Amino acid sequence: MAAMTTPADHDARGQDDGPRALPLPRPLLNRRLAAFGTTIFAEMSALALKTGAINLGQGFPDTDGPEEVREAAVRALRDGRGNQYPPGPGVPELRTAIADHQQRRYGLSFDPDTEVLVTAGATEAIAASLLALLEPGDEVVALEPYYDSYAACIAMAGGTRVPVTLRPHQGRYVLDLDELRAAVTPRTRLILLNTPHNPTGTVLTREELAAVAALAVERDLLVITDEVYEHLVFDGEHIPLASFPGMRERTVTISSAGKTYSFTGWKVGWITASPALVTAVRSAKQFLTYVSAGPFQYAVAEALRLPEMYFTALRDDLRAKRDLLSAGLADAGFEVYRPAGTYFVTTDIRPLGETDGFAFCRALPERCGVVAVPNAVFYDHREQGAPFVRFAFCKQKDVLDEAVTRLRRLAP
Ligand SMILES: *Cc1c(COP(=O)(O)O)cnc(C)c1O
């Protein structure tokens, strides 16, 4: 590293115009990304491995999705479907299955050829959408706390994020519609929405979504809406933002097979949007991954056609796990914000006499053999999230039982 020559060194050479300040060594990581460091999930998962603690930090299931979907992937691999570059927008079978799903479930019609784009997980869909739609200096209004890739991708696209903070109120994290309205300025290009919301578990209601939609129409904003937990709703219902008046043409809807089918490693995601928006997002996507996950695309096409029973069973199973972990956390002394959706539960650690979620999470594996994530990492203003900690419940029942037993040791 020490011998490395930076462009600044070259600038300084061959010029002799008297004494000058030595050039400062230029950091390798650019300014846009320097603030982000390593994701907390890496740190906490490493801690779980080192201590043998139960990892309720990162949100991945500890059992794989349906056998028949796995078999579909094996078949595609063996039959030579998708082993070479699939078409840029995604294989037609999957695009058609996505369009059918939106129609069947929400009554939204999308043309599989011009209004659907398959991506490398929702993560790439988010990145490509922001890179395509933002000019440097554009403002993005996003719900805080937010999924950690949002802030980094807005920064990579040169945008400025304007957080609107969801606040705990009567057991639920609530969006203040006046604050949302006030956050929109003449520089606002788009709203980045997420419902069901990670990490708080809030599912925006029809009234809240109608207000977001009305604001977007009134101020002529685009909306990117991350709906990867669309099938994980326990109370209330998920309503796609694109179904509100005036939204069909200005909304990029993102979803993914990772959370719905418990195949987070496959990284098959997608967007549905108007032809103009799909074309724009594809312009960025083609230079990120171009294409990905060929054989898995065929398998996800089959997954999207699973009978309704599959979704009901998934939901009922996770609802029972939510109730189990929420009750255990409450017994252990946490204040619990019971999530209406997603597979995360956010807690307040202040009733345990704690105020710093970071310190709490770093000590938790030693104290009782469980790993969780401090919600502060999901905030721009970290102090706002300081006393909150997130636990994932997408784990086998006996794992959750054991975690609850261990967490009871914290009870004052
Ligand atoms: C998990 C998650 C994603 C990423 O989805 P992938 O399909 O795994 O890329 C995006 N948004 C939210 C809110 C998530 O929780």
Side-chain angles (χ1 to χ4, degrees):
M1 275 306 181
M4 202 156 150
T5 315
T6 66
D9 296 329
H10 290 292
D11 291 348
R13 243 179 248 139
Q15 296 175 24
D16 191 12
D17 46 6
R20 45 158 46 218
L22 282 172
L24 289 172
R26 181 177 155 177
L28 290 175
L29 185 61
N30 70 44
R31 251 175 269 150
R32 294 187 302 286
L33 284 172
F36 296 102
T38 313
T39 92
I40 189 72
F41 304 108
E43 180 187 341
M44 288 300 163
S45 291
L47 198 55
L49 272 180
K50 202 177 100 192
T51 59
I54 298 175
N55 190 356
L56 304 185
Q58 200 169 10
F60 61 87
D62 60 356
T63 44
D64 287 344
E67 184 61 34
E68 62 264 45
V69 177
R70 257 190 300 170
E71 284 306 318
V74 171
R75 243 184 299 120
L77 257 159
R78 289 224 171 93
D79 297 349
R81 284 177 297 142
N83 290 331
Q84 308 304 329
Y85 295 133
V91 303
E93 288 82 349
L94 177 54
R95 282 185 278 119
T96 304
I98 291 165
D100 289 350
H101 172 274
Q102 296 306 89
Q103 180 70 58
R104 196 169 65 236
R105 189 146 198 107
Y106 305 120
L108 288 168
S109 54
F110 289 95
D111 179 341
D113 290 330
T114 58
E115 299 188 309
V116 178
L117 176 67
V118 177
T119 56
T123 306
E124 189 196 32
I126 293 159
S129 301
L130 291 166
L131 287 168
L133 301 174
L134 293 181
E135 291 290 356
D138 282 345
E139 290 179 359
V140 177
V141 172
L143 307 186
E144 181 187 58
Y146 31 55
Y147 184 63
D148 65 344
S149 88
Y150 295 179
C153 287
I154 293 168
M156 283 193 272
T160 302
R161 55 190 189 277
V162 178
V164 173
T165 307
L166 301 181
R167 294 180 207 285
H169 178 67
Q170 297 179 342
R172 169 179 189 260
Y173 274 77
V174 184
L175 169 62
D176 183 328
L177 294 167
D178 292 328
E179 256 182 71
L180 178 69
R181 190 163 273 284
V184 174
T185 77
R187 290 177 302 283
T188 308
R189 172 63 164 163
L190 60 87
I191 298 175
L192 175 51
L193 207 68
N194 171 217
T195 184
H197 184 262
N198 174 10
T200 67
T202 286
V203 177
L204 295 178
T205 63
R206 183 179 295 280
E207 292 68 33
E208 288 165 333
L209 290 166
V212 173
L215 179 63
V217 170
E218 180 195 319
R219 305 297 293 268
D220 195 21
L221 305 175
L222 300 171
V223 181
I224 299 173
T225 173
D226 178 345
E227 305 185 357
V228 298
Y229 295 102
E230 61 183 318
H231 288 287
L232 304 188
V233 175
F234 317 117
D235 307 321
E237 65 173 324
H238 171 70
I239 310 167
L241 189 72
S243 64
F244 288 80
M247 295 313 290
R248 178 70 173 71
E249 296 310 304
R250 63 178 72 246
T251 304
V252 176
T253 304
I254 295 174
S255 195
S256 158
K259 310 295 160 59
T260 300
Y261 301 106
S262 301
F263 289 116
T264 57
W266 288 10
K267 298 298 281 189
V268 177
W270 53 85
I271 71 164
T272 47
S274 69
L277 282 168
V278 163
T279 302
V281 176
R282 207 181 141 192
S283 302
K285 184 246 165 5
Q286 67 185 334
F287 298 121
L288 293 174
T289 58
Y290 177 46
V291 292
S292 58
F296 297 125
Q297 291 193 28
Y298 291 96
V300 172
E302 295 196 24
L304 282 161
R305 299 193 190 286
L306 287 173
E308 191 52 33
M309 220 172 56
Y310 168 76
F311 301 103
T312 315
L314 174 78
R315 207 161 45 234
D316 290 350
D317 176 59
L318 279 168
R319 183 188 286 114
K321 289 173 173 173
R322 171 197 66 172
D323 294 344
L324 169 69
L325 184 61
S326 299
L329 287 163
D331 279 351
F334 294 83
E335 181 174 355
V336 176
Y337 296 99
R338 226 165 78 114
T342 77
Y343 43 51
F344 302 109
V345 54
T346 282
T347 60
D348 188 335
I349 57 176
R350 283 173 291 191
L352 290 164
E354 303 270 351
T355 53
D356 179 350
F358 269 107
F360 181 81
C361 287
R362 290 204 171 103
L364 199 59
E366 288 297 337
R367 282 179 73 186
C368 72
V370 174
V371 165
V373 166
N375 280 27
V377 299
F378 305 119
Y379 287 79
D380 268 350
H381 305 102
R382 296 210 156 179
E383 68 286 355
Q384 301 234 31
F388 304 109
V389 166
R390 189 193 82 173
F391 295 84
F393 53 83
C394 46
K395 309 292 172 183
Q396 295 172 65
K397 185 176 175 299
D398 55 344
V399 173
L400 293 175
D401 281 332
E402 175 61 23
V404 163
T405 304
R406 294 182 183 189
L407 286 161
R408 286 221 177 86
R409 287 182 215 149
L410 298 171

